[in-house]
Amino acid sequence: MNLNMDGLPLPVQKEIQYLFAAEFSLNEIGPEFFIVNAFIAMFAFWVVRKIGPYAIDRYYIEPYSNVSRSAAMANVLYRIFAPVVVCEAMHLGLACLLYLSCHRLCAVDWRWLSVAFYWLFMFVAKLVKRLFLSPKGFAFEAVASICLCILFDVAVISRIPQEGFSVFDETNVGFQILIAIGFMVVYWITSLIIGSSEFGEDASVALTERLEKRLYGYLRNYKQTIYDCGYEKLFESDYLFKSIVLAVMYIEDTNRPRTIRKIENVLSYLGICKTTGIMQWKAASDKDASKPYYTDEQSIRVSLPRLEEYWRDFIRSVSMSGTDDSSAGPIWFTQNWYSINAEELERLVRRRFSLIYGRYRGSKALNCSKLFAEVLDFVKRENNQMIPSRITVVSELFKDLAAANPDSVLTIASGKLNFYGYHELEPGQGVLWSLGWHSKLSTDMSNIVDYLRKANSISIDSIQVVDGVFCKIIYNGRLFNGLDLDPNEWYAYEKPKSK
């Protein structure tokens, strides 16, 4: 390779010429060098992963949850330096074996290729394990590691045959400056990975700010897609379901950033990547899919029914659970809707989101309940903390249980089924509750209120109207039988005073 370096000092020209001659010479390079470097990289990948937990505290393939800055920097340092040290050590060992067998000095050329292959294998591993916290951080780690290998190979390894082990002399001031620069680069990469840019900044605060920006972006870009799928009412009426959708979207998007998803779309034609789109759903088994991959919007459309199914199964399971830490309190329901205590259910989901996401992911080993709690707090802040006391949803979730008493409002708590009023009303109270939402509900409600106000022995305690779901009127005193209501549309119950 001919370079015009006439304007550079002679020592610099010699060093650059030596660099290209030693590391980028194309004269004798052949496919066998690529094969050997690939095998060395493969073995180095296993070695680096194997000794990682013993070399540093809290080793990660890439930090997934909040970690301290010191732990993150230790991981970045290890991931940059370890492949260089292991690959160069293996090259030295191979050179010694060649010397013993051939009785002359010889080595594999382009030794930095082994580190490049190492990072290629790491990239594939991250695709498979769905771990991509920071693509930029990963890219800079790879570049820094390859550059370090080239520098180390030229400045040290290539000169051992001529100068011996004196090349490891570390008293040189310039070498110490290079170490300082290296730590600055490591610090910068660490900042990219943990989402912080200022020394001493709390990493959790930076991650929260980054998460909030990402979630607002999802709402801007994909809310209309969710609405178009018919999930507008559920998405807006059930803030816990909304939080689940956004949390899954954030986790999958973090593990597969947009750039990586574009690469996956190309690889899907080869059958290498099967889960695609922001929600990471399989398109290969979808006969209606025009391509072997999903766009972000398509992946949302196909994933929402599955998330709704997991959410409904979770509500059913907590309604049947009799343990104190698994009860969501009394659930009211008919064939057409259900209403559940928001505070109790939120408490359960905060602890057990990992199990819900585990069904979606296909593995329940990942603990991401802390992340869900942050997403849930974002949704509550987005709603100005105006969260309903009960979540009420139009649904046939309990249709099978309600079928035996279709003209009643039922309750279930810890697996025990009752008519509404047995435990919820005080003695002497009564309730008139619509079994659904129908066209003449407003007229019926007006007639009921007028009648109750005219009766001297009756007082109205509360009126609750959930648009599109039900109307509930609680009163005190005896109703008598002066109201003519359709028993298929209204449930009436009075709790007598104890004698």
Side-chain angles (χ1 to χ4, degrees):
M1 183 178 294
N2 295 322
L3 295 175
N4 186 6
M5 298 180 292
D6 295 338
L8 297 176
L10 186 59
V12 176
Q13 292 184 33
K14 290 182 178 179
E15 289 293 335
I16 294 177
Q17 289 173 352
Y18 179 73
L19 169 65
F20 278 92
E23 303 298 329
F24 301 100
S25 177
L26 300 176
N27 295 334
E28 299 179 357
I29 194 70
E32 65 276 10
F33 293 105
F34 287 92
I35 295 173
V36 172
N37 278 304
F39 273 105
I40 289 176
M42 218 180 292
F43 186 71
F45 182 78
W46 178 80
V47 172
V48 171
R49 295 285 305 282
K50 197 72 175 177
I51 66 177
Y54 303 98
I56 60 172
D57 186 30
R58 302 186 70 183
Y59 169 75
Y60 304 87
I61 186 173
E62 184 165 11
Y64 181 79
S65 58
N66 295 358
V67 297
S68 66
R69 181 176 293 277
S70 59
M73 287 190 68
N75 272 270
V76 172
L77 276 170
Y78 180 79
R79 289 198 295 270
I80 291 175
F81 281 86
V84 175
V85 174
V86 173
C87 288
E88 290 290 8
M90 293 176 66
H91 276 292
L92 276 175
L94 180 61
C96 291
L97 289 175
L98 291 173
Y99 177 77
L100 292 175
S101 59
C102 302
H103 301 290
R104 65 187 183 88
L105 290 174
C106 55
V108 177
D109 289 334
W110 286 32
R111 289 178 287 275
W112 58 270
L113 268 179
S114 57
V115 177
F117 277 123
Y118 169 90
W119 284 100
L120 179 62
F121 297 151
M122 178 65 77
F123 176 79
V124 174
K126 286 177 180 290
L127 280 179
V128 173
K129 291 181 175 294
R130 302 165 70 178
L131 286 174
F132 261 103
L133 180 63
S134 173
K136 291 181 181 178
F138 173 82
F140 283 117
E141 280 179 336
V143 171
S145 186
I146 294 171
C147 291
L148 177 66
C149 180
I150 294 174
L151 181 63
F152 185 66
D153 193 70
V154 171
V156 179
I157 301 299
S158 298
R159 297 184 179 182
I160 288 179
Q162 288 80 28
E163 302 178 30
F165 291 104
S166 63
V167 295
F168 289 100
D169 182 13
E170 60 181 11
T171 59
N172 187 279
V173 175
F175 185 68
Q176 296 177 20
I177 294 176
L178 285 177
I179 293 177
I181 294 173
F183 271 98
M184 289 174 62
V185 172
V186 168
Y187 184 91
W188 179 51
I189 295 173
T190 304
S191 297
L192 286 174
I193 290 177
I194 67 174
S196 173
S197 59
E198 295 183 13
F199 184 82
E201 183 181 5
D202 186 358
S204 62
V205 174
L207 282 171
T208 299
E209 291 179 355
R210 186 173 65 179
L211 179 142
E212 188 171 272
K213 291 179 181 178
R214 190 82 66 86
L215 294 178
Y216 271 123
Y218 298 154
L219 293 177
R220 286 193 305 270
N221 297 330
Y222 305 120
K223 181 187 282 188
Q224 191 57 49
T225 301
I226 295 171
Y227 288 177
D228 293 341
C229 296
Y231 281 86
E232 179 177 359
K233 288 186 177 180
L234 182 59
F235 196 70
E236 296 302 334
S237 63
D238 189 345
Y239 73 97
L240 293 178
F241 178 75
K242 182 177 183 178
S243 301
I244 290 172
V245 172
L246 291 177
V248 172
M249 192 177 295
Y250 178 82
I251 293 172
E252 298 299 337
D253 185 33
T254 301
N255 292 336
R256 290 290 203 278
R258 185 180 297 272
T259 304
I260 303 301
R261 293 201 295 273
K262 290 181 179 179
I263 297 174
E264 282 184 327
N265 293 345
V266 176
L267 296 178
S268 66
Y269 285 97
L270 304 175
I272 298 176
C273 293
K274 297 182 179 179
T275 57
T276 53
I278 192 171
M279 300 298 282
Q280 286 296 291
W281 205 252
K282 293 182 179 179
S285 57
D286 189 348
K287 297 180 180 178
D288 297 329
S290 59
K291 296 180 180 180
Y293 64 86
Y294 281 132
T295 63
D296 289 348
E297 290 76 11
Q298 289 172 333
S299 69
I300 291 172
R301 290 191 183 97
V302 297
S303 66
L304 284 174
R306 191 57 60 88
L307 286 174
E308 182 189 16
E309 177 190 343
Y310 298 155
W311 179 228
R312 286 159 60 100
D313 290 347
F314 181 82
I315 294 174
R316 286 281 298 214
S317 66
V318 299
S319 71
M320 299 298 177
S321 176
T323 57
D324 293 337
D325 65 339
S326 299
S327 175
I331 299 175
W332 312 332
F333 65 92
T334 67
Q335 295 185 85
N336 304 316
W337 54 264
Y338 68 84
S339 179
I340 197 163
N341 185 291
E343 183 179 355
E344 294 293 329
L345 190 59
E346 178 183 318
R347 177 177 57 82
L348 289 175
V349 183
R350 279 182 181 268
R351 293 204 314 268
R352 304 191 180 187
F353 169 76
S354 295
L355 301 180
I356 300 174
Y357 176 64
R359 289 189 63 187
Y360 183 90
R361 178 185 174 91
S363 170
K364 297 186 178 182
L366 182 63
N367 183 4
C368 46
S369 293
K370 184 181 293 185
L371 172 65
F372 172 76
E374 292 190 34
V375 176
L376 180 60
D377 290 339
F378 162 80
V379 171
K380 294 172 74 172
R381 288 194 302 272
E382 206 244 341
N383 290 335
N384 297 318
Q385 300 292 348
M386 292 186 289
I387 301 301
S389 59
R390 298 190 70 86
I391 296 171
T392 305
V393 178
V394 177
S395 171
E396 296 182 349
L397 176 59
F398 293 97
K399 184 177 181 179
D400 55 334
L401 297 177
N405 298 279
D407 58 348
S408 301
V409 175
L410 302 174
T411 68
I412 186 169
S414 301
K416 299 176 181 178
L417 193 64
N418 276 306
F419 294 101
Y420 178 86
Y422 280 25
H423 305 293
E424 291 80 5
L425 297 177
E426 298 292 332
Q429 280 188 325
V431 65
L432 290 165
W433 200 332
S434 68
L435 299 177
W437 195 266
H438 47 84
S439 58
K440 59 175 185 173
L441 182 61
S442 59
T443 303
D444 285 349
M445 185 179 69
S446 298
N447 293 336
I448 292 170
V449 173
D450 288 343
Y451 176 84
L452 295 178
R453 284 177 175 173
K454 291 176 182 178
N456 294 329
S457 60
I458 300 175
S459 61
I460 300 175
D461 289 348
S462 67
I463 300 175
Q464 183 180 1
V465 178
V466 179
D467 188 21
V469 185
F470 66 74
C471 170
K472 182 177 73 168
I473 302 172
I474 297 179
Y475 60 89
N476 211 308
R478 296 288 303 194
L479 180 63
F480 304 107
N481 292 314
L483 279 174
D484 183 18
L485 296 173
D486 188 340
N488 295 318
E489 296 178 348
W490 287 90
Y491 165 68
Y493 176 81
E494 289 181 352
K495 189 170 187 178
K497 292 182 178 180
S498 56
K499 297 182 179 179

